[in-house]
Amino acid sequence: MKGTVCYIPQARQIEFHEYEVPDVEPGAILAQVTRTNVCGSEVHMWRGEFGKRGVMPGHEMVGRVSKLGKGVTTDTAGQPLKEGDRITPVYYRTCGLCVNCREGNAAACVTMGIRARRLVPQDPPHFHTTFATHYYIHPPHHVYKVPDHLPEHAASSANCALSQVFFGLDRATLRYEETLLVQGAGGLGLHAMAVAKARGARVIAIDGVDLRLKRAKAFGADELIDMRAYPTMEARMGRVRELTDGLGPDVVLEVAGIPDAFLEAINLVRNGGRVIEIGNISMGLTVAVPPAAITFKSISVTGVATYNPHYLHKALHFLSQHIDQYPYHEMVDAEFPLAQAAAAMDKSDRKEITRAALLP
Amino acid sequence: MKGTVCYIPQARQIEFHEYEVPDVEPGAILAQVTRTNVCGSEVHMWRGEFGKRGVMPGHEMVGRVSKLGKGVTTDTAGQPLKEGDRITPVYYRTCGLCVNCREGNAAACVTMGIRARRLVPQDPPHFHTTFATHYYIHPPHHVYKVPDHLPEHAASSANCALSQVFFGLDRATLRYEETLLVQGAGGLGLHAMAVAKARGARVIAIDGVDLRLKRAKAFGADELIDMRAYPTMEARMGRVRELTDGLGPDVVLEVAGIPDAFLEAINLVRNGGRVIEIGNISMGLTVAVPPAAITFKSISVTGVATYNPHYLHKALHFLSQHIDQYPYHEMVDAEFPLAQAAAAMDKSDRKEITRAALLP
Amino acid sequence: MKGTVCYIPQARQIEFHEYEVPDVEPGAILAQVTRTNVCGSEVHMWRGEFGKRGVMPGHEMVGRVSKLGKGVTTDTAGQPLKEGDRITPVYYRTCGLCVNCREGNAAACVTMGIRARRLVPQDPPHFHTTFATHYYIHPPHHVYKVPDHLPEHAASSANCALSQVFFGLDRATLRYEETLLVQGAGGLGLHAMAVAKARGARVIAIDGVDLRLKRAKAFGADELIDMRAYPTMEARMGRVRELTDGLGPDVVLEVAGIPDAFLEAINLVRNGGRVIEIGNISMGLTVAVPPAAITFKSISVTGVATYNPHYLHKALHFLSQHIDQYPYHEMVDAEFPLAQAAAAMDKSDRKEITRAALLP
Amino acid sequence: MKGTVCYIPQARQIEFHEYEVPDVEPGAILAQVTRTNVCGSEVHMWRGEFGKRGVMPGHEMVGRVSKLGKGVTTDTAGQPLKEGDRITPVYYRTCGLCVNCREGNAAACVTMGIRARRLVPQDPPHFHTTFATHYYIHPPHHVYKVPDHLPEHAASSANCALSQVFFGLDRATLRYEETLLVQGAGGLGLHAMAVAKARGARVIAIDGVDLRLKRAKAFGADELIDMRAYPTMEARMGRVRELTDGLGPDVVLEVAGIPDAFLEAINLVRNGGRVIEIGNISMGLTVAVPPAAITFKSISVTGVATYNPHYLHKALHFLSQHIDQYPYHEMVDAEFPLAQAAAAMDKSDRKEITRAALLP
């Protein structure tokens, strides 16, 4: 049986490569991809922001077990696993041995980046990423069964967006009754709002699009700041101070994904507060920062590139418990067959749609 | 009796104001300044980087008790205090009640900045800062006796430079056997090296001046990186990786005080590592930062504006124990009478001298 | 005007002392007590468990401002304060300077115990404790206005029971989705359940009295363990493991107040988990503990004697937000005039009532 | 080729079982044991304190690579590994997936205890423990090369005693300039003193044997408390307060291994301080503890059963750096051939010797 996997050789081009579906080594799992999302990373890839070399897109996914390698009888949480079961995998591998892994910060595994750079479809087992019909999961893996009552549109963003903001809020130790300001009400931002509310924090959301502000409200935001009503950074700083006894929020989460938002996060957060930087992932884009602002405000800024693998399990559990509370079905607002991946990325880039799903 | 206190009305000008030495309210202390240093902050003031309004210079000091307010019988550590005793005070006041104070981070007291902005010599009790013959210490104060065997040149930098880097290394939880990279071998940097060595860390120092590199060695640096031999950021990144098994240091301390050093700190620190930002204190100076570097490296950046007040006690204790181990007398390399404060700041600005002391 | 204050000279005796209501020094506040509870501590006093010397009972209270000392214009949170306003005070004083205070753990202030031991009604200003018509609050104090919509029965336990468990759960860093087991569904336990639920934890409650189990349910417990159905420690260990995937709860809160419960907490908590010890406060009562259980299970046990003063503000805010969600009015189930303090303590000791209020 | 492995069927009996040396599966390592110590655990086994079932003794060891399983080319730190190389292994296995492993506390791995209970010599691969000629190391393992200049007497205690106290001091966050009190100057205690001094702490040692007190001094103790001079707990409490400004030490490390020492640790530590419990490992031995002492003193007690595996690497590095500074050769004061294991344990039990080594 043959399968298909995508490759972006350069900005705004996509190739479809076909390979025989591989056998699985002991401990590995082959999944059939049933849904994979166009995450912000794929849009950055589509724009060519990851450099001149080609890249393989796709990592947010849900699928079904197609083949189980010898010795695999359960998912990583110990639940029995068999062919046909719905699963979602952690999309990267951590070493368990580096300075970060061994101190409980596997999200910063120093070998992760090294491995990630080399992927091309020609190298076996070919199905390295999830813009594809199949996905090869190497041992030792982190794979979890998707609870039966969880729809695919909700589960599909668990292994990236939700797990990452869940982990990010823990890294910044967002506590009960603290105020979180979320810059950007896209997928990451909405997930973060739901998680923050569940742990008893107050949420302020900033965005400039009606639909996104409406969703922020639906996902629990206590206060909305419309960028059209507060068009300058100074105006937004003033409004945020009004809403926070003149201090600023305890924690700011940057998921707008533009460099200016990083500077604004530093200016918005209260003295002694914490900024979580997740949205900016294009190395070539910069913003002029006065380091003295960090000094004088005694703030901390923490970058979060991925998440500790077991957060995927927490994420699925969170969705299980809150699936009826929030409109998760609105998070994905367009569906495409895999063959139209280019259109899906193009429309995402032009913000005609918020989050697209590919159904291979 | 009259005393003198300085004022910088605008860049590169200084005024000497004369006032009757005030009485002290209950709980307050009046000190006679015996030595006060030209710290980096004063150089920034001299250059006019603090805005168009004038400022009152001076905070690193050692002095003698001139008058004790009613009820003051001991220093803050409970040691008996009498007129004539040598003391050094914390140079700012914290509220004990704000969100930061009550969580053990008084260094980020939100009322501190508010109070600090208003000082002019005309307002009683006039002697607000230490480029002066006298210094008025309000209750509730943090004042500590200077151990008898501690020379003034060493004690005078305890209440700013040493306390701040001591606190900074604790904020970044620098641990035994970790590697600390110090950017800049000035007063803050040298103090940090001594403290880091005492707790069992390895130290790499970067500087570009022979004398400063020599002092870094004397204050415990295990490795020196001469900026003349490694003139570009890329060259220094390569050298640092050679010295750290390809990873980069666990912690980078920015005390060079220029925006470029902040960017370099982000680039030098290992994935998952920590940057302490202390040196940059001029709000108008910026550097182009790619926020994605913070995201992808999963690093933390922590600004440190001052220190928790009791660190001054730790700092004095540290000096007591290590006074014979390090050449503290080399830290201050020029002495001036108060009347020549302008010359002291000017020569400091032009880097003709490293650290000047004023002897009122 | 005269006022009355109580004294327990020895077990099961109470005296009423009458003094002229004192003037207030600058910074102090005199409050008229409107309600004060019989907390567990007072029952221990009543039984004579605090030693042979007499003690002054009363600390959980709400009252009205009777006199404001010079300079007092706001409560500790900065809200305007005037005579007649309803307030509740922190019932002890912390130094702000000791090793614990300065690291953000004022609840363990080393001077607190020293001061607390000396109280007798004969010493001015006489009104040291709250089984009294008046209460003298020394500067620097922590006093907060009681929100208008908060009934006295709810507010009266804020300055002891609620603040302490709120702080205790923070000390043990109870996190979102963790499981908390509460030993004992008395006042402390019920408050803890409400707080734990608000931050997204799961709660298991152990008790052996119908009414108390019913209240546990009302205050948010997800699971109840009836000690009559599980009469031995082994039976309860089995049941708890059933409810926690065989592991045991992440955190156990001991508020049953008997030594056996401490041993059981160690046995119930999961490997690597955390025990919070609050309930046991009688130094003469012991239990045979195998220290090896602590070693092998790699657990932490943290004692919590009081709370950081600003938690009283958090506690009042928490009550404001949840007053309609939980049946706080059931927490106090008996009211007595001050003159019947003996009866109130006696009935509390014999567990005929759960929590008594004195209305002076 | 045949090898020998020991078994303790009941108190004070030992059996020697002979088996063919096994082949190694992919990823495994077979080591030839060159030195294994009689640690405190083995003495507890010898006394029958681990229950009625037999146990397999031996875990502190150094050896040489005898066979390398397929795929093993380096030690866990990435250093090349070949047959004949000197190594030391972590003596237990962690799962990497349980609630403790994934939060960076692998020392409390919940599966560790489960696996450890089943060992009998009859089960392949027979060489489960180190009172043996050979030792079978399963994948995924933590094995480190022993630095060439490190003598076997020093390296042999790295994988238990030194790693465990190193980890324990980190768990209790012993900081620069804090005071550590060590109860018991045996192997664990001496290692802890050296580690504490290297990170800048002050050390007080309690013991009652001349030779052990002398060694405590040699391993860096700043103050010695001779139990013969201070024969009661009260006397020692008084002496400790004299040495610590009336407060008590910041951290107490219990490595005396008797229940009374645990109670004394609680009484000795300062208010708000931390107790590390390592020494007590016999579940049947108890001490009467007043839980109220933990409450009133606001202290934390942390049990440490093993260590995070990578601490073995830290331990070897520590020994490399300090081998000439401390008299590590005095730590082991008796050597026996494997055949005399009974005598080695018997003399250890009767305290005729401090620490015995078996040389198979």
Side-chain angles (χ1 to χ4, degrees), chain D residues 164-217:
Chain D
Q164 189 162 352
V165 295
F166 203 132
F167 179 70
L169 296 180
D170 275 1
R171 284 282 285 170
T173 62
L174 179 72
R175 287 189 296 267
Y176 178 77
E177 283 198 349
E178 287 194 320
T179 295
L180 172 72
L181 185 145
V182 179
Q183 297 174 296
L188 287 155
L190 297 176
H191 277 305
M193 293 171 204
V195 171
K197 291 310 297 177
R199 60 179 72 181
R202 180 180 173 230
V203 172
I204 303 173
I206 297 185
D207 208 297
V209 176
D210 279 335
L211 183 59
R212 290 163 67 101
L213 287 165
K214 188 169 149 257
R215 281 180 188 148
K217 195 78 191 168

Side-chain angles (χ1 to χ4, degrees), chain B:
Chain B
M1 193 179 62
K2 297 238 171 181
T4 303
V5 62
C6 293
Y7 185 63
I8 298 178
Q10 61 180 79
R12 300 183 197 284
Q13 288 192 8
I14 193 161
E15 298 172 357
F16 296 85
H17 293 250
E18 206 164 270
Y19 293 98
E20 193 67 24
V21 169
D23 275 334
V24 289
E25 64 188 312
I29 299 173
L30 185 75
Q32 184 189 348
V33 179
T34 54
R35 174 178 290 247
T36 181
N37 293 335
V38 180
C39 174
S41 315
E42 277 78 33
V43 178
H44 289 287
M45 290 176 185
W46 186 243
R47 291 185 199 139
E49 292 174 1
F50 280 97
K52 303 213 163 169
R53 217 171 34 179
V55 289
M56 294 185 69
H59 61 289
E60 273 196 14
M61 76 155 260
V62 60
R64 290 192 177 273
V65 173
S66 184
K67 298 181 190 174
L68 285 175
K70 193 183 159 195
V72 184
T73 57
T74 68
D75 73 359
T76 310
Q79 305 171 88
L81 201 62
K82 62 179 195 307
E83 288 187 17
D85 280 349
R86 267 198 324 170
I87 55 168
T88 181
V90 170
Y91 66 88
Y92 50 85
R93 283 186 281 168
T94 59
C95 72
L97 295 174
C98 75
V99 61
N100 293 316
C101 278
R102 66 201 188 204
E103 291 184 356
N105 188 14
C109 175
V110 299
T111 72
M112 198 194 295
I114 296 164
R115 288 183 190 163
R117 276 181 216 127
R118 320 257 152 152
L119 301 174
V120 289
Q122 289 73 20
D123 289 345
H126 313 297
F127 297 88
H128 305 299
T129 46
T130 67
F131 275 25
T133 54
H134 295 79
Y135 182 57
Y136 189 97
I137 305 166
H138 298 267
H141 47 65
H142 278 266
V143 171
Y144 297 98
K145 280 179 81 165
V146 176
D148 288 340
H149 69 290
L150 218 53
E152 300 228 328
H153 60 76
S156 63
S157 66
N159 81 330
C160 174
L162 174 52
S163 291
Q164 189 163 354
V165 295
F166 202 133
F167 179 69
L169 296 180
D170 276 0
R171 284 282 285 169
T173 62
L174 179 73
R175 290 190 294 268
Y176 179 77
E177 284 199 349
E178 287 195 321
T179 296
L180 172 72
L181 185 145
V182 179
Q183 297 175 297
L188 288 155
L190 297 175
H191 277 305
M193 293 172 204
V195 171
K197 291 310 299 176
R199 60 180 71 183
R202 180 181 173 229
V203 172
I204 302 173
I206 297 185
D207 208 298
V209 178
D210 280 334
L211 183 59
R212 289 163 68 102
L213 287 164
K214 189 171 147 254
R215 281 180 189 148
K217 194 79 190 166
F219 273 86
D222 299 283
E223 306 283 351
L224 303 178
I225 298 180
D226 186 334
M227 293 178 78
R228 295 163 301 187
Y230 300 91
T232 65
M233 182 165 74
E234 286 66 32
R236 291 189 288 275
M237 286 172 67
R239 179 58 184 149
V240 167
R241 273 168 182 59
E242 280 174 17
L243 294 172
T244 55
D245 293 330
L247 286 178
D250 302 289
V251 179
V252 174
L253 174 66
E254 192 290 289
V255 283
I258 54 171
D260 282 354
F262 174 69
L263 175 62
E264 187 162 330
I266 289 171
N267 285 324
L268 289 173
V269 75
R270 71 161 167 81
N271 275 25
R274 295 150 267 152
V275 170
I276 313 167
E277 173 55 52
I278 289 184
N280 277 287
I281 57 172
S282 295
M283 286 300 292
L285 305 182
T286 63
V287 60
V289 172
I294 294 172
T295 311
F296 276 131
K297 295 183 73 173
S298 294
I299 59 173
S300 290
V301 177
T302 300
V304 175
T306 59
Y307 53 91
N308 281 4
H310 69 280
Y311 272 71
L312 175 51
H313 196 218
K314 290 182 192 253
L316 290 167
H317 184 64
F318 184 89
L319 287 173
S320 286
Q321 296 202 304
H322 297 87
I323 189 67
D324 297 328
Q325 192 178 347
Y326 300 115
Y328 286 105
H329 60 280
E330 292 186 17
M331 275 195 167
V332 176
D333 57 2
E335 298 182 347
F336 299 81
L338 182 60
Q340 294 177 22
M345 287 190 285
D346 198 54
K347 282 173 194 285
S348 299
D349 184 21
R350 285 186 281 112
K351 295 196 185 298
E352 292 176 17
I353 52 181
T354 299
R355 203 154 192 97
L358 301 178
L359 309 177

Side-chain angles (χ1 to χ4, degrees), chain C residues 5-8 12-16 36-38 42-43 46 57-58 130-132 335-349 353 356-360:
Chain C
V5 62
C6 294
Y7 186 64
I8 297 177
R12 299 179 198 286
Q13 288 191 10
I14 192 161
E15 298 171 357
F16 296 84
T36 182
N37 293 335
V38 180
E42 276 77 34
V43 178
W46 185 244
T130 67
F131 275 24
E335 297 182 349
F336 299 82
L338 181 61
Q340 293 176 23
M345 287 189 286
D346 198 52
K347 282 174 194 287
S348 299
D349 184 20
I353 52 181
L358 302 178
L359 308 177

Side-chain angles (χ1 to χ4, degrees), chain D residues 8 14 35-47 57-61 130-131 156-157 159-161 186-188 331-338 340-351 353-359:
Chain D
I8 297 177
I14 193 162
R35 173 178 290 247
T36 182
N37 292 336
V38 179
C39 174
S41 315
E42 276 79 32
V43 178
H44 288 288
M45 290 176 183
W46 184 243
R47 290 184 199 141
H59 61 289
E60 272 196 14
M61 76 156 262
T130 68
F131 275 25
S156 62
S157 65
N159 81 330
C160 174
L188 287 155
M331 275 195 167
V332 177
D333 56 3
E335 297 182 348
F336 298 82
L338 182 61
Q340 294 177 23
M345 288 190 286
D346 198 53
K347 281 174 194 289
S348 298
D349 184 21
R350 284 185 282 113
K351 294 196 186 299
I353 52 182
T354 299
R355 202 152 191 100
L358 301 178
L359 310 177

Side-chain angles (χ1 to χ4, degrees), chain C residues 60-80:
Chain C
E60 273 196 13
M61 77 157 260
V62 61
R64 289 191 179 275
V65 173
S66 184
K67 298 181 190 176
L68 285 175
K70 194 183 158 197
V72 184
T73 57
T74 68
D75 74 357
T76 310
Q79 304 172 91

Side-chain angles (χ1 to χ4, degrees), chain C residues 100 103 108 175 270-271 277 280-283 285-290 292 294-296 298-305, chain D residues 99-100 103 108 175 270-271 277 280-283 285-290 292 294-296 298-303 305:
Chain C
N100 292 316
E103 292 184 354
R175 287 189 294 268
R270 72 162 167 80
N271 275 24
E277 172 55 51
N280 277 286
I281 57 171
S282 295
M283 287 300 293
L285 304 181
T286 62
V287 60
V289 172
I294 294 172
T295 311
F296 276 132
S298 294
I299 60 175
S300 289
V301 177
T302 299
V304 174
Chain D
V99 60
N100 293 315
E103 291 184 355
R175 287 189 296 267
R270 70 161 167 83
N271 275 23
E277 173 55 53
N280 277 287
I281 57 172
S282 296
M283 287 299 293
L285 304 181
T286 63
V287 59
V289 172
I294 293 172
T295 310
F296 276 132
S298 294
I299 60 174
S300 289
V301 177
T302 300

